[in-house]
Amino acid sequence: ALTWSSDGCRLALSGYQDHSIVLYDRGRRGFAAVLRGHESVVAQAMFGQGSRELISGSLHGIVRGWEAETGVGRMVCKVSGEIWSLVVVPESNLVLFSTSDDKPFVDTESRNVNSGFHPLASFVHARLRGYPTMRLCDSTSGTILWAKSYTHHIIAFSFSLDRSRLLAASREGNVSIWDVSALPRDHPPPSTPDARQPHDRLNDGCAPRLLGQFDVKTSSPVLDRIAFSTDNRAVVTCDGYTPIPSPEHWPRAAQHEDVFQSEDGVTPSS
């Protein structure tokens, strides 16, 4: 996997068999550092606030943070099960990640035990056997702020441009849309990571909220790449454009524009 920093200066490459992450510096036109510390394959790495920090998650269930300038690493948290996807919440020190847990747990919201079992089989993703779970943690303190059992194993996340919605895609093509507009953000972002204020809990009503689900047809064996369209009213995959079925689930910016219904779905009016 690879990810660019928001300023376009650094590229992080992960997924190597030696469990390392390689940082490429665009200005130097060369590799800046090799980050070592994970004990298993790194499933995802994402840059955090201001591109000063890199957050990574591995199949060993460990989330680590790295200083982009020095390469110094630290453990953020460790969970039961394998981490398969991870995303840093924009303008915050929050990290959302999905896991395949090896045992059921109790939701932080409903207090219900997750007892679903979804065996899958395909190359690396044959490992996705267990209890699908989503977690939100504070990357400063390592505190798990929110956890929820789910019906599908999530292997890709993507935020809308206005950051009010989150797409979560499963291997088999199910896409869920979450309202994340109430998550706490830092305005303005702190000048250094040390200045961030850690969260020890989420206030009532601030947790991610599931809005809806729909299926996306894909010719790929695994749906591991997804994004909102530029008009925020569809999802884009390797196979093209799929309109979001309900306008109520669009990102907030898209809900305030006039639209008309075309044969291909809902599109912006000119």
Side-chain angles (χ1 to χ4, degrees):
L2 58 86
T3 180
W4 282 99
S5 59
S6 59
D7 58 11
C9 294
R10 292 186 178 88
L11 176 68
L13 301 94
S14 59
Y16 294 99
Q17 292 184 353
D18 65 356
H19 314 155
S20 66
I21 304 170
V22 175
L23 283 183
Y24 177 85
D25 190 294
R26 187 177 182 182
R28 301 174 187 173
R29 297 186 179 182
F31 294 109
V34 178
L35 311 180
R36 303 187 188 278
H38 280 292
E39 300 175 2
S40 185
V41 174
V42 177
Q44 187 77 54
M46 298 287 292
F47 284 95
Q49 284 194 31
S51 303
R52 295 184 300 270
E53 187 175 40
L54 185 74
I55 304 293
S56 59
S58 73
L59 298 185
H60 202 63
I62 293 177
V63 177
R64 294 186 66 87
W66 313 83
E67 293 182 14
E69 285 288 345
T70 65
V72 174
R74 61 184 176 85
M75 181 184 291
V76 174
C77 66
K78 178 177 174 58
V79 298
S80 169
E82 300 175 330
I83 296 174
W84 284 95
S85 188
L86 174 149
V87 66
V88 177
V89 179
E91 300 174 348
S92 80
N93 52 324
L94 303 179
V95 180
L96 183 69
F97 57 95
S98 65
T99 62
S100 178
D101 285 16
D102 53 12
K103 59 183 179 180
F105 78 106
V106 178
D107 280 3
T108 57
E109 287 184 334
S110 65
R111 313 305 296 176
N112 292 327
V113 174
N114 173 5
S115 58
F117 185 75
H118 302 273
L120 304 173
S122 174
F123 191 51
V124 174
H125 298 287
R127 299 175 63 121
L128 283 173
R129 288 191 290 264
Y131 303 93
T133 308
M134 296 173 64
R135 289 182 172 89
L136 183 74
C137 83
D138 184 292
S139 65
T140 304
S141 65
T143 303
I144 301 296
L145 303 173
W146 174 82
K148 185 173 182 61
S149 59
Y150 196 54
T151 55
H152 295 78
H153 293 90
I154 302 301
I155 59 174
F157 289 114
S158 182
F159 278 97
S160 60
L161 293 176
D162 67 0
R163 300 177 173 85
S164 68
R165 298 290 186 266
L166 177 75
L167 290 177
S170 73
R171 171 198 176 275
E172 56 271 78
N174 175 268
V175 175
S176 56
I177 301 181
W178 298 76
D179 183 348
V180 292
S181 58
L183 287 177
R185 311 291 172 91
D186 293 330
H187 299 290
S191 56
T192 65
D194 293 339
R196 295 178 303 192
Q197 294 298 316
H199 301 279
D200 57 6
R201 63 181 295 273
L202 284 181
N203 294 328
D204 293 341
C206 289
R209 182 169 61 92
L210 178 64
L211 298 177
Q213 303 179 59
F214 58 97
D215 292 329
V216 172
K217 294 182 179 179
T218 175
S219 60
S220 304
V222 176
L223 180 60
D224 60 353
R225 294 290 184 274
I226 196 167
F228 278 96
S229 61
T230 54
D231 62 8
N232 286 314
R233 297 170 182 181
V235 297
V236 180
T237 67
C238 295
D239 291 290
Y241 174 101
T242 302
I244 296 173
S246 173
E248 295 179 354
H249 299 162
W250 292 346
R252 290 181 173 180
Q255 295 181 16
H256 300 293
E257 299 176 7
D258 295 331
V259 299
F260 68 92
Q261 185 74 31
S262 69
E263 293 181 357
D264 296 329
V266 180
T267 57
S269 61
S270 56

